[in-house]
Amino acid sequence: MFIVVSLEGSSGNELLRDPNQERRPNVWSKLVHRFSLGLLYLTFAFVLLGPPVAHAQATRTWVSGVGDDVNPCSRTAPCKTFAGAISKTAAGGEINCLDPGGYGTVTITKSISILCSGTLGSVLASATNGININDSASGSPGTVVVYLEGLDIEGAGTTPGLSGIRFTSGASLHVKNVTIRDFTTSPAHGISFAPTASAKLIVENTTISNTGTGAAGAAIVVNPGSGAAAIAMISNSHLHRGTFGVAGDSSGGAAGINIVVRDTVANGFTNTAFLTTGNNIGMLVNGSAATASGTGLVANGGSTIRVGSSVIVGNGTSVSGNVLSFWDNRINGNNVDAIPGPVPGGSH
């Protein structure tokens, strides 16, 4: 029998090919296949086990008494504490309280607002400061702007708290509708405003009670560092019980301190309701009351307090030092009713 083989389209080499060659494994193809599978497995392993993908910080975050700090701090998955939320909040953003809760102490190093009006954000600060503001270790120290609103800061505990709010570095601090009490472990301040560079403090509608220890501590103390200047505005606030009420102190070498107090009551301070001590300090007290304290107003050293439309009643001594009056105050019922001299130029 003859077998006819067509040579058309074929080469001589094809005629010589071993017919079993097609069945032999292609070693190169298997190597490529195995390499591809290995690369695929490595990719999956990186995705599953590799470092987590970084998430952008939110402009607004939320805390809740039933939250959890592992959450993203969104409204539907809130955090548990201010400290947990602040790390997930962008600079210039805000933390809101969904419901009443104890949200813990916190250190603030960037511009931020903590706003709990309409509910209550509580901070318990036994043996420590309630809220610290300090941007000195940031890339631009002395620039942060902080707003605190609707907070209850409590220092009670086996060892009472140090200061309710302590500000040491930043541009400005705004405190509104805040209650601070029971900070009686040295330095024992309600608000300690001690910036190392020039800064501003605004306090509105705030109640501070039971501060100070022995001869030290104030409801609000303004005490800038060397070469720094401070401006403070305190309004519509109630300060009760302690050593000093509002104190301006330049003993740290401040370049200047200016404090305005209006529509504010300082009552029941063992030493002084309104005090300035040192040089380069001016305080204006207007439409306010200094009552039931050791001395109503004291201006020591090269400082000056000007007082107008105010009540100075029921103190050991009404005023002492360089206190000047606009001649429209009510000074009566003090053990010593010292009458301040007139403001140069009088009342206009």
Side-chain angles (χ1 to χ4, degrees), residues 72-329:
C73 302
S74 64
R75 186 176 179 88
T76 54
C79 282
K80 176 73 172 178
T81 67
F82 291 142
I86 198 168
S87 63
K88 299 172 186 177
T89 309
E94 65 181 64
I95 300 171
N96 297 110
C97 297
L98 278 172
D99 47 47
Y103 297 118
T105 62
V106 63
T107 295
I108 297 172
T109 60
K110 58 188 173 184
S111 293
I112 205 160
S113 301
I114 300 178
L115 308 176
C116 297
S117 291
T119 179
L120 182 66
S122 178
V123 174
L124 180 60
S126 175
T128 188
N129 298 311
I131 297 176
N132 288 288
I133 299 99
N134 183 0
D135 71 349
S136 61
S138 70
S140 52
T143 61
V144 303
V145 177
V146 175
Y147 293 84
L148 304 174
E149 185 173 335
L151 303 179
D152 180 89
I153 305 174
E154 171 63 70
T158 304
T159 302
L162 309 181
S163 293
I165 300 171
R166 179 167 172 76
F167 183 105
T168 53
S169 181
S172 66
L173 170 62
H174 303 246
V175 180
K176 184 177 181 181
N177 298 333
V178 171
T179 299
I180 301 170
R181 61 186 180 277
D182 299 329
F183 285 87
T184 57
T185 298
S186 182
H189 302 307
I191 298 175
S192 172
F193 192 72
T196 53
S198 298
K200 298 178 181 178
L201 169 67
I202 298 174
V203 180
E204 304 175 68
N205 302 319
T206 290
T207 299
I208 303 174
S209 60
N210 194 29
T211 57
T213 177
I220 301 173
V221 61
V222 180
N223 181 21
S226 179
I231 297 174
M233 173 72 181
I234 302 160
S235 63
N236 299 305
S237 294
H238 298 267
L239 315 175
H240 304 286
R241 257 185 322 128
T243 307
F244 295 95
V246 177
D249 178 6
S250 65
S251 62
I257 301 173
N258 286 288
I259 302 173
V260 175
V261 182
R262 59 181 296 271
D263 301 324
T264 291
V265 175
N267 173 78
F269 292 95
T270 57
N271 196 303
T272 306
F274 297 103
L275 168 72
T276 55
T277 180
N279 299 314
N280 304 317
I281 308 175
M283 180 186 290
L284 171 65
V285 178
N286 185 71
S288 297
T291 61
S293 298
T295 305
L297 291 80
V298 175
N300 289 328
S303 66
T304 302
I305 297 179
R306 293 172 174 83
V307 57
S309 303
S310 294
V311 175
I312 307 171
V313 173
N315 305 287
T317 300
S318 57
V319 301
S320 177
N322 191 31
V323 178
L324 303 177
S325 171
F326 289 101
W327 289 89
D328 57 354
N329 300 292

